Amino acid sequence: MKITQLLTPVTDVPWVSVTDTVRDAFDHMETYDLSAAPILDWDGRYLGTVTEADLRRHLAGTDQTASLATPLSAVERRSRNTAVTVDHDVESLVEQALGHRFIPVVDDCGRLLGIVDRRRILDARLPSAA
């Protein structure tokens, strides 16, 4: 099986921009019912993943008005959701998928091509219960 068979293309992926604010990210995540989202720059390069927990930690014990206006580039992110390329071995994604909701897939220039959702990896790996 190839990663391209499991890939959700970037056009169907709800992502956030590195210049979006914490408020923008919260709104985006609520709109799409997300707990994490890929962060992209203006060229579509994958810069990392921001989680709802990252955003909540950023707000904890601070002036919320100022903190909500903070760009995502200034938010500390604890999750290291490493991107892979389309030629990466699907079998090796299983362990990574257990720690993340999705795995970002990038081209040779680091631009996001799409994501592979944890559910799709596990469904492809595990035999059907039927």
Side-chain angles (χ1 to χ4, degrees), residues 5 9 23 28 32 54 69-70 100 102 120 125-126 128-129:
Q5 295 171 286
R23 179 184 300 279
H28 186 78
Y32 291 98
D54 293 332
T70 304
H100 301 284
F102 62 87
R120 293 189 80 180
R125 270 293 272 133
L126 300 174
S128 174

Side-chain angles (χ1 to χ4, degrees), residues 83-94:
V84 299
T85 59
V86 291
D87 59 351
H88 199 84
D89 177 37
V90 173
E91 296 295 319
S92 66
L93 295 181
V94 174

Side-chain angles (χ1 to χ4, degrees), residues 20-51:
D20 285 346
T21 65
V22 170
R23 179 184 300 279
D24 295 333
F26 269 126
D27 291 346
H28 186 78
M29 292 170 121
E30 182 178 345
T31 298
Y32 291 98
D33 194 26
L34 303 172
S35 59
I39 302 173
L40 305 183
D41 69 9
W42 285 106
D43 293 323
R45 285 188 298 264
Y46 172 72
L47 301 177
T49 296
V50 65
T51 65

Side-chain angles (χ1 to χ4, degrees), residues 6-17:
L6 302 173
L7 188 72
T8 300
V10 69
T11 54
D12 296 335
V13 174
W15 52 271
V16 293
S17 171

